[in-house]
């Protein structure tokens, strides 16, 4: 797909208030630049929406765009025995966290089965997408290029800034892309590599991404620089020729979402135990840790 501007929106997690903010930014860009950004939802757009009306609204507002499967949608549309949430957590994740994620998935699957929810719109969705913006080629995945639930593009898997790794080189070459955009790990970062390549992981488009900061983060790819965008901030950006790739943080209606979340996931439920603290306070992650751009001299201008 050829585009002037694309938003890569991984991990919306059913957050309709975050989606309001993303749509408002897209509306502003459509009015300003006379062309509407393409919205690519690279997986896990469902998760907290374990209530039929809420789930239905996510379906109605996401599916007309460019959705890709995340492990959540994959396990809803095609449950695999023993897969649980399909997150394929690394062994470092506490087993209580894994159990709670499995419980959230069971509740979603139960709702779908007993409320007659039609999942036809999820079946057949692609696992990956490919975009071209200017001369920049972007591969979009949920986990990593080998698996929807892969952890190969988590921050901890990256080589030191300025270095590359054989597996990354192979992924860029096999896909014939300059940028790989992912999500899944819930921890945002961007890092560039020799040869004008970069990985952008947007963390979560439906939850706070930094300690003490409620903003959601999406990856924006555009021939239009990210300044100024209303109610948002380009946290870190990189220019590749005439195309800028940015991690854009957006303000959203946090208190309205928290009210919605608490109604469906009250104290003591799996999602409340696993996520409410992050939603209220943000995760133990900093902008300094996320910003790993600028170490390769052949990359062009840094904002
Ligand atoms: Fe995921």
């Amino acid at each position: 797909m050829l585009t002037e501007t694309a938003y890569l929106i991984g991990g919306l997690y059913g957050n309709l208030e975050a989606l309001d903010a993303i749509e408002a930014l897209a509306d502003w860009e459509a009015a300003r630049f006379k062309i509407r950004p393409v919205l690519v939802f690279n997986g896990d757009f469902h998760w907290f929406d374990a209530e039929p009306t809420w789930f239905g609204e996510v379906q109605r507002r996401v599916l007309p765009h460019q959705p890709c499967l995340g492990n959540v949608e994959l396990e809803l549309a095609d449950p695999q025995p023993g897969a649980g949430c399909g997150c394929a957590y690394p062994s470092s994740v506490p087993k209580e966290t894994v159990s709670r994620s499995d419980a959230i998935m069971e509740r979603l699957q139960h709702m779908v089965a007993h409320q007659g929810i039609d999942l036809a719109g999820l079946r057949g969705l692609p696992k990956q997408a490919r975009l071209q913006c200017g001369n920049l080629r972007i591969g979009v995945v949920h986990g990593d290029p080998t698996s929807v639930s892969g952890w190969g593009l988590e921050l901890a898997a990256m080589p030191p800034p300025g270095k590359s790794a054989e597996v990354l080189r192979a992924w860029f070459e096999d896909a014939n892309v300059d940028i790989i955009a992912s999500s899944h790990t819930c921890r945002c970062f961007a890092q560039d590599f020799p040869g004008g390549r970069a990985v952008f992981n947007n963390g979560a488009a439906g939850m706070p991404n930094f300690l003490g900061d409620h903003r959601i983060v999406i990856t924006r790819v555009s021939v239009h620089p990210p300044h100024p965008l209303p109610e948002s901030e380009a946290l870190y950006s990189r220019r590749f020729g005439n195309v800028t790739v940015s991690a854009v943080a957006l303000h959203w209606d946090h208190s309205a979402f928290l009210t919605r979340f608490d109604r469906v996931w009250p104290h003591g439920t799996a999602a409340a135990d696993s996520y409410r603290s992050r939603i209220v306070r943000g995760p133990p992650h900093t902008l300094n840790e996320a910003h790993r751009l600028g170490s390769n001299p052949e990359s062009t201008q840094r904002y």
Side-chain angles (χ1 to χ4, degrees):
M1 179 188 306
L2 193 60
T3 180
E4 265 189 29
T5 300
Y7 297 169
L8 313 178
I9 307 159
L12 186 68
Y13 301 120
N15 188 333
L16 292 172
E17 285 70 25
L19 183 55
D20 290 341
I22 294 164
E23 288 178 340
L25 185 62
D27 288 345
W28 184 90
E29 293 217 52
R32 166 94 178 225
F33 300 117
K34 311 301 178 203
I35 187 160
R36 183 162 287 279
V38 171
L39 273 53
V40 180
F41 291 85
N42 51 315
D44 289 4
F45 41 90
H46 291 298
W47 190 229
F48 297 132
D49 46 341
E51 188 273 317
T53 307
W54 183 1
F55 189 94
E57 186 170 350
V58 174
Q59 290 274 92
R60 182 177 61 76
R61 291 173 62 180
V62 166
L63 294 184
H65 295 283
Q66 301 293 323
C68 300
L69 290 169
N71 52 286
V72 174
E73 293 75 36
L74 200 54
E75 289 305 319
L76 284 174
D78 184 21
Q80 298 298 308
C85 64
C87 306
Y89 286 117
S91 57
S92 57
V93 173
K95 65 179 189 314
E96 296 79 12
T97 302
V98 178
S99 298
R100 288 195 294 265
S101 290
D102 291 348
I104 295 169
M105 176 54 69
E106 281 168 23
R107 183 167 164 181
L108 282 168
Q109 289 170 332
H110 185 271
M111 176 191 75
V112 164
H114 290 83
Q115 301 285 338
I117 292 174
D118 182 6
L119 293 182
L122 298 184
R123 297 198 176 93
L125 289 183
K127 292 179 179 173
Q128 301 181 355
R130 185 182 181 85
L131 303 172
Q132 177 139 2
C133 182
N135 291 325
L136 197 69
R137 303 158 303 171
I138 305 110
V140 184
V141 300
H142 178 67
D144 66 36
T146 65
S147 170
V148 164
S149 53
W151 286 73
L153 294 172
E154 67 166 330
L155 178 52
M158 292 298 107
K163 307 287 186 193
S164 192
E166 188 50 46
V167 65
L168 292 171
R169 261 197 302 275
W171 283 345
F172 282 111
E173 284 169 16
D174 290 349
N176 198 25
V177 295
D178 309 297
I179 305 292
I180 300 178
S182 82
S183 178
H184 184 52
T185 66
C186 266
R187 197 167 184 223
C188 62
F189 74 93
Q191 181 167 340
D192 46 12
F193 303 100
R197 294 166 171 164
V199 167
F200 275 74
N201 184 325
N202 78 295
M207 283 193 288
N209 286 273
F210 300 107
L211 194 61
D213 185 341
H214 284 162
R215 291 176 299 175
I216 59 163
V217 172
I218 63 173
T219 299
R220 177 182 181 272
V221 182
S222 182
V223 297
H224 305 291
H227 310 291
L229 297 176
E231 296 296 316
S232 60
E233 179 190 2
L235 300 174
Y236 39 90
S237 297
R238 189 97 216 180
R239 276 190 72 167
F240 299 85
N242 65 338
V243 179
T244 307
V245 187
S246 312
V248 172
L250 288 84
H251 294 284
W252 54 291
D253 192 340
H254 182 264
S255 64
F257 175 74
L258 202 54
T259 300
R260 184 195 299 275
F261 178 90
D262 285 343
R263 184 170 51 81
V264 174
W265 299 101
H267 179 74
T269 58
D273 286 351
S274 274
Y275 294 102
R276 198 176 191 284
S277 171
R278 171 169 178 159
I279 293 166
V280 171
R281 284 179 278 280
H285 188 44
T286 66
L287 188 53
N288 229 18
E289 293 172 284
H291 187 349
R292 297 162 69 91
L293 296 167
S295 300
N296 287 286
E298 65 266 45
S299 294
T300 51
Q301 178 185 345
R302 174 180 180 176
Y303 280 101

